[in-house]
């Protein structure tokens, strides 16, 4: 069944109004759907609806709701603070992180990152990333679309980590403890309270530098190891998210 994202404000009782020009074009001219065909609508905030198209107008399409979808909300939403990597690899990671249920993604610039995004390009980049997250959520049937933050310097990003229940930082530093061991300890000593995110900080290909690790530790980050092999940045992010999903029972 085809899936579409709608604004929560466009859900009115038993009817959904599809008004986004991009979605309307896709429905009418790409998929050629019409009255009587069943679709799934996702509001991007955790709610989904199965319904039937029952009205097609020039600037709007109406869906009559037949079933409301409800999936458990993760007790500990995953928050990925990710160093910038090259364009296609970052977009691939954004797709995979969405498929793995990440709730928030914060791109950051770090000292060893080779990618720099000019200030004039950042608005367009952010819009593209948010569209990719939306399309990935539709593709995998996620009821929520992850929030994607504007790019910010690493030191500014870590200042917001006080909102997180846990902050884990995969690194090649010799003092890092295996992720599994750290998670087991945290689950015994400080299980995440409902609604508080678990943050994972993933560095660039050259890893975080010593000052960045020290700064993150001051804001509560725990350096962790993903094993003896050196992983690409996007591989480390996907591996970390998958491990945390398993550990948290998601």
């Amino acid at each position: 069944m085809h899936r579409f994202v709608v604004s929560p404000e466009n859900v009115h009782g038993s009817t959904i109004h599809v008004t986004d020009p991009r979605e309307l074009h896709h429905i009418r001219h790409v998929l050629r759907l019409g009255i009587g065909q069943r679709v799934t609508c996702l509001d991007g905030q955790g709610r989904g609806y199965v319904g039937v198209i029952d009205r097609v107008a020039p600037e709007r399409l109406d869906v009559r709701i037949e079933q409301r979808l409800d999936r458990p909300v993760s007790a500990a939403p995953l928050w990925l603070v990710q160093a910038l990597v090259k364009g296609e690899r970052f977009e691939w990671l954004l797709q995979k992180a969405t498929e793995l249920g990440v709730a928030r993604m914060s791109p950051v610039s770090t000292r060893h990152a080779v990618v720099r995004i000019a200030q004039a390009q950042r608005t367009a980049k952010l819009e593209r990333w948010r569209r990719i997250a939306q399309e990935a959520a539709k593709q995998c049937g996620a009821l929520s679309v992850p929030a994607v933050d504007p790019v910010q310097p690493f030191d500014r990003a870590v200042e917001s980590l006080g909102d997180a229940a846990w902050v884990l930082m995969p690194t090649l530093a010799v003092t890092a403890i295996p992720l599994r061991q750290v998670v087991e300890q945290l689950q015994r000593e400080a299980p995440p309270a409902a609604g508080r995110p678990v943050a994972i900080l993933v560095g660039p290909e050259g890893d975080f530098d010593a000052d960045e690790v020290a700064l993150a530790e001051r804001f509560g980050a725990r350096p962790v190891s993903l094993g003896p092999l050196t992983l690409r940045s996007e591989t480390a992010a996907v591996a970390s998210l998958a491990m945390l999903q398993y550990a948290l029972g998601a």
Side-chain angles (χ1 to χ4, degrees), residues 59-215:
E59 298 181 356
R60 195 178 87 189
L61 181 147
D62 290 350
V63 175
R64 185 179 71 254
I65 297 171
E66 293 184 333
Q67 178 186 0
R68 285 172 165 79
L69 305 177
D70 185 20
R71 293 179 188 167
V73 177
S74 174
L78 296 180
W79 175 11
L80 176 60
V81 180
Q82 172 67 42
L84 291 172
V85 293
K86 292 182 179 179
E88 290 184 359
R89 287 162 51 197
F90 187 86
E91 293 179 0
W92 178 88
L93 171 56
L94 183 51
Q95 291 176 330
K96 302 311 163 190
T98 301
E99 292 173 20
L100 287 167
V102 74
R104 179 180 176 186
M105 189 164 178
S106 300
V108 294
S109 54
T110 58
R111 291 179 185 170
H112 290 168
V114 297
V115 177
R116 296 287 185 267
I117 300 177
Q119 193 68 38
Q121 298 176 327
R122 292 192 175 189
T123 298
K125 280 284 187 185
L126 182 59
E127 290 175 356
R128 176 173 172 79
W129 291 339
R130 287 174 174 170
R131 285 199 303 271
I132 289 170
Q134 185 179 94
E135 291 300 318
K138 287 164 56 178
Q139 181 68 32
C140 71
L143 298 185
S144 297
V145 177
V148 183
D149 297 330
V151 177
Q152 56 187 324
F154 179 78
D155 56 356
R156 188 179 305 164
V158 296
E159 293 176 359
S160 64
L161 293 175
D163 296 335
W166 305 345
V167 182
L168 305 175
M169 186 179 201
T171 175
L172 299 173
V174 293
T175 55
I177 301 171
L179 174 63
R180 174 186 53 80
Q181 184 176 333
V182 172
V183 169
E184 288 175 351
Q185 179 186 354
L186 288 170
Q187 286 179 316
R188 290 193 304 270
E189 300 174 0
R196 292 194 68 194
V198 169
I200 186 94
L201 279 59
V202 179
E205 297 301 331
D207 202 0
F208 296 109
D209 75 4
D211 289 341
E212 288 170 333
V213 174
L215 176 64

